[in-house]
Structures are given as C-alpha cells and as structure tokens.
Amino acid sequence: MIDGEYHRGGGYLTKREAQEAERFLCPNRKMAFGELCDKYISWIRSRNQSAAWVYEKILFVKKHLSPWFTKPVDDISRGHIEEHLLRRAQAVSTATANKDLKFIKAIFSFGVQMGYCSGNPASAISRMPTEERLKYVPPLDDFMKVYMVARPVEKRLLALLFCTAARVGEILNLRWEDVADSYLILRSRKHKEGRLRERKIPLNPVMKEAFDFLSTHVSRGRKEGFVFQNPRGEGNRYLRRPKLMRSLCEKAGVRSFGFHSIRHLATSCLMREGESIQTLKDYLGHAKITTTQIYVHSLEDSLSVAAQKLGNLFNKYSIKSSKNSINVDKNAKNVQNCTSKKVV
C-alpha cells in the first residue's frame, strides 16, 4: 500500500520483500493507518494471543476504523478519535467506548515504538465515566430449571460449568488428555505475554458422570481430541453458542442469564458453604485476590437480610401504632358522644 492505494504485480515473492522495497524506494513516505493496523494485527498474532481475541480485533478494525485506512497515521488527530468514541458511547455504551479507546491507544503506542508514527493522539484522552452495575446472579432454583430443560450434552456442559466454576472457554477447550481419573486441568490465557496458565481441579461424582456420558455418546469411546466436539465437524471444537442460554432461560421461564453468571453463582454458593476467599481465588484461577472479591455476592445477601429485618420492625410497630390510633379514635368518639348528650 502506497499513499492509501494497493499496488500488486511488482514481482516480489513475499509481502515482506515488497514492504522492504517500499521503504527503500519511498523513504519519506507517510504510513497509512490501514497499514499500521495490519502491522499491529500481525504483531499481536506473533505474541501467541488467542485466535478468538485476534479475530475480534480484526472485525473491530474493519467495521469501525476503516474510514481512517487511507489517512496518513500522523494526520489522525485527537478530534477524530473523540468523535468515534462519542458515537460509540451514544450507539452502544460508555463501557464499549472505553474498550475502543484502550485498543486504539495500543495501536498508536505500537506505531510509536516501531517508529511508524511520531506520537499517540489517544494518549491524552481520558476514559468515559461508567455506571457500576451489580452483575445479575441467578438463584440456584432458576439454574436448576434451566438445567432440567436442556438437552443431554447441554446438561453436561452446564454441570461442568457449575461444578468447576470455570469460564465457558476453558470448558469448551478441554481435551481428553486434560482429564485424568481424579482431576482435570483447566487452562486460561490471562497473562500479558499470552501464555496459558494451568490449574488442577479435583473431580467430583457429577463431573465424572458428565465425562463418562461424553466419552460414550460424543467421543464414542475414543478419548482423543476435544471433550465437547462440534457435531457438524468431526474432531472440531464445540463452538460457543451465545444464544443458547437465552433460549434455555426462555424455555424454563426464568430471567435470562449467561454462561459467566454460572461462574458467579457457583462462587456465591461456595461462600455460603463457608469456603475462604483464598480457596476461591485458587479454585477460580485468579492471579489477584481483588479479582475474586468481585465474585463474592454474600454482601448482597446480608443487605437483603438487613432490609427484611427493618421491614419486619416497621410492620410490627406500625400494627401497634395503628391499634393505639384506633383506641384513641374510640375514646374521642365516646367523649364526643358524652358531651353531645350533656348539651341536649
């Protein structure tokens, strides 16, 4: 790409050779923003980031940043970025705008480090204020209603999500070599360098039954490849279905919740059973205990108990006061009747 236009047929064998020739032939050429995005996507791919995360960023760049592709990198100003963020905040939410800002900052920071641009126009832009909302955690009864209306494979998925308190991606990425007789190994990619972090979860009878069923009815006795396999493609991973939980909740007649809410529900249940927050941190695979505290919903329960007590006190004393007011009204009527008789 030169000055926003693609030139093909130059006789170069690889894209790298063509780029080297561009730098040699056009040393003072200003890089277009689209080319910077291509280089950044290639760089994050080389950092061993998850394929799903990289694909999400590619879609975002193509859908929302394409109007800037032909602009030279140094011509994109803070005003362009703020206009985009305001539009996204109005169309979706301020949280989405802040997510976009973080990614745009990363693109320009990469460009500055590599010498592709002179500065980062997004560095001085502050995050938009967001409303802190408590995440909805379904009651255990609602979860069991959803479990009862699910199909056999979906039931085992829900059972494993609840018993392991794992992320849905960790369960769907499970391979049979990760499942032993007494434990399973979950892997999550939460490190800056993109390395997988492993944790060992002991198996309980519910998990063992789920794996026995999946081994017999899904893998057909062959314990190889993914545990949850896509029925449309033999050996492929069971794809995440974002509408699955919504349809199951509608079928069960309960308020809609997602896969990650099951992780919060399991954590709340463990807290009610008296597990320490350090145990929860290790079980959930968190690097910091402050992250685990986000999952603790015992405060909500204690607040509801306190509100219930205040309501009971109010009802108790309101009944007493109403009885007293009735007696006062009766006495007032008696006095009024007596005075009226005397007057007559």
Side-chain angles (χ1 to χ4, degrees):
M1 177 185 286
I2 300 178
D3 296 331
E5 297 182 2
Y6 285 99
H7 297 268
R8 296 180 175 85
Y12 300 103
L13 297 178
T14 63
K15 183 178 179 180
R16 184 181 294 276
E17 290 182 5
Q19 290 174 345
E20 292 293 336
E22 284 180 16
R23 281 194 287 270
F24 178 75
L25 296 174
C26 308
N28 298 322
R29 180 181 65 86
K30 294 182 179 180
M31 178 178 289
F33 182 75
E35 187 178 353
L36 175 62
C37 291
D38 290 341
K39 291 181 179 295
Y40 181 68
I41 294 296
S42 300
W43 181 77
I44 60 177
R45 273 198 179 121
S46 67
R47 305 295 286 181
N48 196 27
Q49 295 289 349
S50 66
W53 186 84
V54 174
Y55 182 66
E56 177 188 345
K57 299 307 177 186
I58 292 174
L59 290 181
F60 168 75
V61 168
K62 289 182 177 180
K63 185 175 181 180
H64 299 289
L65 303 185
S66 57
W68 302 346
F69 277 3
T70 58
K71 292 180 178 291
V73 176
D74 290 331
D75 288 355
I76 297 176
S77 64
R78 175 176 176 174
H80 290 108
I81 300 173
E82 288 181 337
E83 182 181 353
H84 164 80
L85 297 177
L86 181 61
R87 184 170 60 251
R88 289 280 280 169
Q90 292 174 347
V92 188
S93 66
T94 54
T96 301
N98 290 334
K99 186 177 179 181
D100 292 359
L101 175 61
K102 181 179 179 181
F103 184 63
I104 293 172
K105 280 184 177 180
I107 293 175
F108 280 102
S109 295
F110 167 78
V112 172
Q113 291 176 2
M114 302 300 292
Y116 299 138
C117 55
S118 58
N120 188 343
S123 60
I125 302 177
S126 303
R127 289 169 53 88
M128 292 185 176
T130 57
E131 295 181 1
E132 293 186 3
R133 298 181 180 178
L134 292 175
K135 186 175 182 64
Y136 172 68
V137 181
L140 187 56
D141 291 340
D142 286 2
F143 171 75
M144 295 309 300
K145 289 178 182 178
V146 170
Y147 174 82
M148 294 306 296
V149 300
R151 290 181 291 186
V153 175
E154 295 166 353
K155 282 185 176 181
R156 273 66 188 187
L157 173 62
L158 294 175
L160 288 174
L161 285 171
F162 180 79
C163 291
T164 60
R167 304 171 184 89
V168 63
E170 294 173 338
I171 296 298
L172 294 182
N173 284 323
L174 268 177
R175 293 179 174 271
W176 281 112
E177 54 263 31
D178 301 328
V179 182
D181 293 334
S182 59
Y183 64 89
L184 63 89
I185 296 176
L186 295 176
R187 295 180 174 87
S188 60
R189 194 187 303 273
K190 288 293 181 180
H191 197 274
K192 291 182 179 179
E193 299 297 327
R195 293 197 300 268
L196 290 172
R197 182 182 290 123
E198 296 182 353
R199 69 181 187 277
K200 186 183 294 186
I201 302 293
L203 294 182
N204 60 26
V206 176
M207 298 184 205
K208 290 181 180 179
E209 187 279 332
F211 287 123
D212 290 341
F213 176 88
L214 294 170
S215 173
T216 304
H217 295 86
V218 177
S219 300
R220 298 179 179 87
R222 296 178 301 170
K223 291 190 175 183
E224 57 185 22
F226 291 103
V227 174
F228 288 93
Q229 296 183 9
N230 189 350
R232 296 182 180 178
E234 186 175 354
N236 294 332
R237 186 173 74 92
Y238 187 88
L239 298 177
R240 186 182 304 185
R241 296 165 58 189
K243 296 181 180 179
L244 173 62
M245 289 304 298
R246 189 187 310 166
S247 61
L248 289 178
C249 290
E250 290 177 357
K251 190 175 180 181
V254 301
R255 178 178 171 181
S256 180
F257 59 90
F259 286 117
H260 205 72
S261 296
I262 301 174
R263 180 170 163 90
H264 284 260
L265 172 62
T267 308
S268 298
C269 292
L270 289 175
M271 281 294 296
R272 294 191 192 100
E273 294 297 322
E275 290 294 339
S276 66
I277 194 166
Q278 182 62 42
T279 302
L280 291 178
K281 170 183 170 296
D282 298 335
Y283 200 79
L284 296 172
H286 290 154
K288 298 179 181 179
I289 203 165
T290 52
T291 308
T292 310
Q293 291 172 346
I294 300 174
Y295 284 71
V296 176
H297 300 278
S298 58
L299 177 61
E300 184 178 347
D301 296 336
S302 62
L303 289 177
S304 63
V305 171
Q308 188 66 33
K309 288 181 179 179
L310 289 175
N312 293 337
L313 286 172
F314 179 84
N315 291 332
K316 178 181 177 181
Y317 285 94
S318 64
I319 292 173
K320 284 185 178 181
S321 60
S322 63
K323 288 181 178 179
N324 293 333
S325 64
I326 291 172
N327 294 331
V328 170
D329 292 340
K330 286 182 178 179
N331 294 333
K333 286 182 179 179
N334 292 334
V335 171
Q336 186 177 3
N337 292 333
C338 291
T339 53
S340 61
K341 287 179 181 179
K342 289 180 180 180
V343 171
V344 173

